[in-house]
Structure formats: structure tokens, C-alpha cells
Amino acid sequence: MLYTLAHKIQHYFPWIWEMIEDINSWFFALRYGYRLKGHEKMLEGLHDDYIVRAATIDDAKMMEHFFDQQSEYNLRFFHPHKFDATSLLKLLKRRSMLMYLVCDKEGGMVGYFFIRCFFIGKGFRGYIVDERQQKRGIGKLMGKGFAVVCQALQFPTYKTISKDNPASLALAHAVCEVEVLEELPNNELYIRCN
């Protein structure tokens, strides 16, 4: 399966993975970049108490701080990329990595979601809510954000969810139509979010 192969390349051959990411980013921007024009405007006003916006290169340090504030328990199911400012800055510069923040009215970060896009017309999504801000509807708000971005992209997105993480599975069912495609090792489900 492509998902398993990608993870093996990423783990065992990081330099090849970096080349693949750069090539993918270029082709993705060429093929889909025009679809994203104006989608950020649609994110405005999704909620009265929170601001949903695209992350910029100026946000790398704030994002690093956000991840530093999360406990190992909150990050146990969330490890899509490294969380240091240098790695985040590299990802923020990739046009195929769509990264979004949920901030409170004071500008403090309370949530993060992303879609890692592939030029073949697929995306891989992920999200995390600040553990001190959970159970306030931020996850569902990010689901609305995903819907805006996916509507602009017009291609399916996928995600893995651990069966040991019922809150994430419940959120996925609340914000999209879930189709389980495969059961993976480590008690994970590979799903399509329609």
C-alpha cells in the first residue's frame, strides 16, 4: 500500500523523502494552486470566539511553543511531523503542506490542523486541540475548516486513527462521512473522510 511505503521511505531514507516532498510540492502548486485562491477568506467568520487562519512563516515559533506546551499524553496519537521551529518553517514553505491555526481572540493558539496534499489528487489530514482547551467545540470548528479547504481542493482526504483514541474517531464521524479503508498494524484505522 502507498501509505505504508511512504512511511518506510520517510523513516529509512529521509533524504529521498525530502526530494519527493519538494517535487510533490512543485507539481501540487502547478496542478491545484489556483483552486486555493480565496479559500482563506472563506475561513473567516467560521466562529465568533475563535479565529481560523492559514499559518504563515511568522508563526513557526508560536507553533513550536504550542507543541512544547502539550503533554506527551496529548501528543501520543499525533506525530505527523517534527515540532521544532526549523522543521515547522520548512513545512510552512512547502506549498503542498496546508497548515492552519485556530486562535483565541487574543491571538493565542488553541488548535492546529493541516492537510498534506499530493499532486495525484489526495490529501492526508491531521489535527490537535490544546489539551487545556478541549471540549469547547474547537475540534468541530476545525472540521468546518477542513470542509472549506476540501471544497476548494475538490479531492478526497484520508487519515489514520488509533482505535485507542475514541475521541478522535468520534470527532471524525461528527465532521465528515467516514469510510474505513483498512485496518493497519498498531491498532490503527486508515479512513477516507468525505
Side-chain angles (χ1 to χ4, degrees):
M1 176 180 177
L2 193 57
Y3 174 81
T4 306
L5 177 63
H7 273 276
K8 285 184 179 180
I9 292 171
Q10 188 177 17
H11 182 74
Y12 295 110
F13 306 101
W15 61 275
I16 293 176
W17 181 254
E18 288 299 314
M19 276 188 353
I20 291 170
E21 286 274 42
D22 289 340
I23 292 167
N24 176 63
S25 184
W26 189 83
F27 278 112
F28 171 78
L30 189 66
R31 185 172 182 195
Y32 290 101
Y34 74 94
R35 289 187 183 176
L36 293 170
K37 290 186 187 304
H39 86 284
E40 291 176 14
K41 191 82 174 152
M42 294 174 64
L43 292 171
E44 295 175 9
L46 283 180
H47 199 279
D48 293 335
D49 298 325
Y50 298 105
I51 299 159
V52 181
R53 65 176 179 81
T56 70
I57 57 172
D58 296 330
D59 294 318
K61 277 288 188 196
M62 179 175 68
M63 293 170 72
E64 178 183 55
H65 179 70
F66 171 82
F67 289 116
D68 283 345
Q69 298 297 307
Q70 305 308 306
S71 69
E72 282 185 33
Y73 183 80
N74 200 36
L75 293 171
R76 72 196 181 284
F77 299 117
F78 189 79
H79 35 80
H81 52 68
K82 294 179 182 174
F83 302 133
D84 62 282
T86 303
S87 299
L88 290 165
L89 188 59
K90 187 190 293 187
L91 291 172
L92 285 162
K93 291 179 179 178
R94 281 213 173 103
R95 293 171 65 186
S96 58
M97 187 68 169
L98 307 178
M99 303 166 82
Y100 301 90
L101 310 179
V102 179
C103 299
D104 59 25
K105 290 294 185 180
E106 290 76 44
M109 193 172 158
V110 297
Y112 162 70
F113 65 103
F114 71 90
I115 301 178
R116 183 183 299 253
C117 300
F118 297 92
F119 77 91
I120 58 173
K122 291 183 178 185
F124 194 80
R125 64 166 65 185
Y127 48 82
I128 187 168
V129 176
D130 184 318
E131 61 193 319
R132 297 161 294 186
Q133 304 290 329
Q134 292 176 353
K135 301 196 185 300
R136 296 184 185 184
I138 297 169
K140 288 185 179 173
L141 175 59
M142 288 191 285
K144 291 179 184 177
F146 276 126
V148 167
V149 179
C150 291
Q151 182 180 5
L153 289 171
Q154 299 174 356
F155 60 62
T157 58
Y158 302 83
K159 127 175 230 62
T160 57
I161 299 178
S162 172
K163 290 185 198 174
D164 299 325
N165 189 358
S168 185
L169 194 53
L171 179 61
H173 281 285
V175 300
C176 65
E177 213 175 285
V178 171
E179 179 184 353
V180 177
L181 300 175
E182 187 176 350
E183 291 199 27
L184 300 171
N186 302 326
N187 210 25
E188 287 188 324
L189 299 173
Y190 181 61
I191 66 169
R192 178 169 35 227
C193 306
N194 300 316

